[in-house]
Amino acid sequence: MERIGVTGHRSIPAEAYAHVTAGIQDVLRGHTGALEALSSLAVGADQLFAALALERGAALTAVIPSGDYENDFADPDELAGYRRLRDRATRRVRMAFPHSTDEAYYAAGTYIADHCDQLLAVWDGRPARGLGGTGDIVSYARERGKPVTVIWREGVERA
């Protein structure tokens, strides 16, 4: 079974959304065998990737950063999306952090990078805005020789 993990921005600008969606679908189509998708199910890239992977028939592993992770979802619709995807996960892995912190996010991101065959990064190429951000996880994966596929629409900046 091949494993694809995701790291990416929580905010995908409208002008990049279709491009990012198509890029994720292309990567998923490139794998013809059994597939496991690893995601923290955060709003944005993580949830988009998980939903598209499930549509493709992949097994989903939810990598949950902390015991109180649900508190990170301020919007009720975003929390419902998280729960819907989490409940469809074949497997759940929870990091040993009681509270959501940058360290917890970093641990979840590095877990994904360590346990996948390919890391998909929905990333604008800029440095992380805090420990555990997309740029940090891309650097971590690359330092370990992990294949990283970056998807972003050139010329678009995130908020």
Side-chain angles (χ1 to χ4, degrees), residues 12-21 152-159:
I12 302 171
E15 60 270 27
Y17 195 83
H19 178 84
V20 167
T21 300
W152 194 256
R153 185 167 175 210
E154 194 173 324
V156 175
E157 293 188 27
R158 66 185 162 115

Side-chain angles (χ1 to χ4, degrees), residues 54-66:
L54 286 167
E55 282 179 17
R56 189 236 178 245
L60 176 62
T61 294
V63 181
I64 302 167
S66 67

Side-chain angles (χ1 to χ4, degrees), residues 96-145:
F97 290 86
H99 303 292
S100 292
T101 62
D102 287 352
E103 291 78 14
Y105 299 138
Y106 185 77
T110 58
Y111 179 94
I112 289 170
D114 287 339
H115 290 87
C116 69
D117 302 308
Q118 175 185 9
L119 184 68
L120 180 67
V122 178
W123 182 45
D124 62 3
R126 295 183 182 257
R129 293 181 177 167
L131 180 66
T134 305
D136 288 343
I137 304 308
V138 168
S139 293
Y140 176 89
R142 286 179 172 163
E143 287 168 4
R144 280 147 188 81

